[in-house]
Amino acid sequence: MKQEVFSIELPVGERFVINKNRIEGKRPRAKRLAIVTGIHGDEFEGQYVCYETGRRLLERQDFLTGTVDIYPALNPLGLEQAEHKIPKLGLDLNRMFPGKKNGTAMEQAAAAIVEDISGADMCLDVHAGDVFVKEIPQVRVSERFADQLLPFAKLLNADMIWTNAAATVHESTLTYSMNMLGVPSMVLEMGVGTRIDRGYGNQVVEGIFHLMKELGMWEGSVGEIQYPAISTDGEVDFIRSGSTGVFLPAIAHNHYVRKGDRLGEVVSPLEGKILEEIKAKKSGLVFTLREYPFVREGSLLVRILTGIGEE
């Protein structure tokens, strides 16, 4: 059932409207799961996750107990124009939570979202990598809430769990705000900006149904899930470019590399030469890989999860 969460006229002549789809099971007042996405308008992976989760739930709604609220577009204007922030306003909605009821239009929107989700038993915030890098399916949780969240994060069929990934669990994010309000909340991140990978989406949706099964919200069957690698910030090696040029990777995404392996090179199309050869400083799993070829000095090329063995 489609429900309006928030609506306001903007000074730029646009109307900002946030809707959700509420799917109720046999006992609507039982547990409630909130699935949100579209905070950033250039991240589309969550659109497929919302669609496929909703489709499966409606197909066998008789197996659902409790309520699932699906919020596919918290930044609808951004999604229309594939802009990370809110168009024309230049604001990052995920740096405005928990919002203010008497604040600016976007602060009011943030407050309305928080109020609507409040009381849920779990919240999943689905993101994608940006247009520059590709991410394997991963759950990101704040170290502050890790003890509470890790048992649930392991059910989401992700390839890894990144504890204390600071950028996505910042204090002004939706996930952090909901955790502070007593709603267990996690970030799911996968893929690359402005794209949809159905394989990643189906993998995560399977995990969502496992989570619902654990919460006592789903009586239907579920498939197999994998056990994720679990990290802390100290086990993630960031590899950045030391040159300005074009990055040519020599490795595949989501593969194990050993210390000293060649990861790629940064080349100069103008001079026809290699500017820099990129090698692994430590052994581990490549979970982030540069997708956008042009790089400047300091650009992120690879993230490697270290401290794990090759499977």
Side-chain angles (χ1 to χ4, degrees), residues 241-249 264-278 293-296:
S241 176
S243 312
T244 296
V246 171
F247 176 59
L248 302 176
E265 54 265 334
V266 178
V267 304
S268 170
L270 176 63
E271 300 173 89
K273 68 179 185 180
I274 296 174
L275 300 175
E276 182 182 6
E277 191 171 63
I278 311 298
F294 182 77
V295 298
R296 293 190 180 276

Side-chain angles (χ1 to χ4, degrees), residues 111-244:
I113 293 166
V114 168
E115 182 177 16
D116 203 76
I117 297 173
S118 292
D121 295 278
M122 183 70 63
C123 176
L124 302 177
D125 182 11
V126 185
H127 287 258
D130 58 29
V131 296
F132 299 104
V133 298
K134 186 175 185 179
E135 305 280 2
I136 65 174
Q138 59 198 262
V139 185
R140 297 185 176 185
V141 298
S142 169
E143 188 174 36
R144 179 170 182 172
F145 308 107
D147 289 344
Q148 176 190 14
L149 295 174
L150 277 174
F152 299 109
K154 293 174 183 177
L155 299 170
L156 287 170
N157 204 27
D159 292 310
M160 66 171 285
I161 299 171
W162 189 0
T163 302
N164 207 30
T168 46
V169 291
H170 190 276
E171 290 185 9
S172 58
T173 62
L174 173 63
T175 302
Y176 188 91
S177 296
M178 297 317 306
N179 275 311
M180 290 296 292
L181 291 171
V183 178
S185 302
M186 297 174 282
V187 171
L188 276 161
E189 186 144 348
M190 75 199 93
V192 64
T194 71
R195 299 290 184 272
I196 290 177
D197 186 317
R198 288 194 182 197
Y200 284 169
N202 289 331
Q203 177 180 336
V204 166
V205 170
E206 193 61 55
I208 290 173
F209 277 84
H210 268 267
L211 176 64
M212 289 194 293
K213 189 87 168 179
E214 179 68 20
L215 294 173
M217 298 179 61
W218 182 249
E219 296 177 346
S221 61
V222 292
E224 295 294 322
I225 59 170
Q226 61 187 333
Y227 189 85
I230 303 175
S231 78
T232 66
D233 273 347
E235 295 171 333
V236 175
D237 191 27
F238 291 72
I239 298 177
R240 300 183 182 276
S241 176
S243 312
T244 296

Side-chain angles (χ1 to χ4, degrees), residues 62-95:
D62 54 316
F63 286 150
L64 175 65
T65 61
T67 297
V68 178
D69 283 335
I70 298 175
Y71 306 73
L74 297 191
N75 176 9
L77 301 181
L79 286 166
E80 288 175 6
Q81 301 181 37
E83 290 192 23
H84 191 76
K85 298 181 179 180
I86 300 167
K88 301 181 182 179
L89 300 179
L91 300 172
D92 186 344
L93 182 59
N94 211 29
R95 292 295 181 269

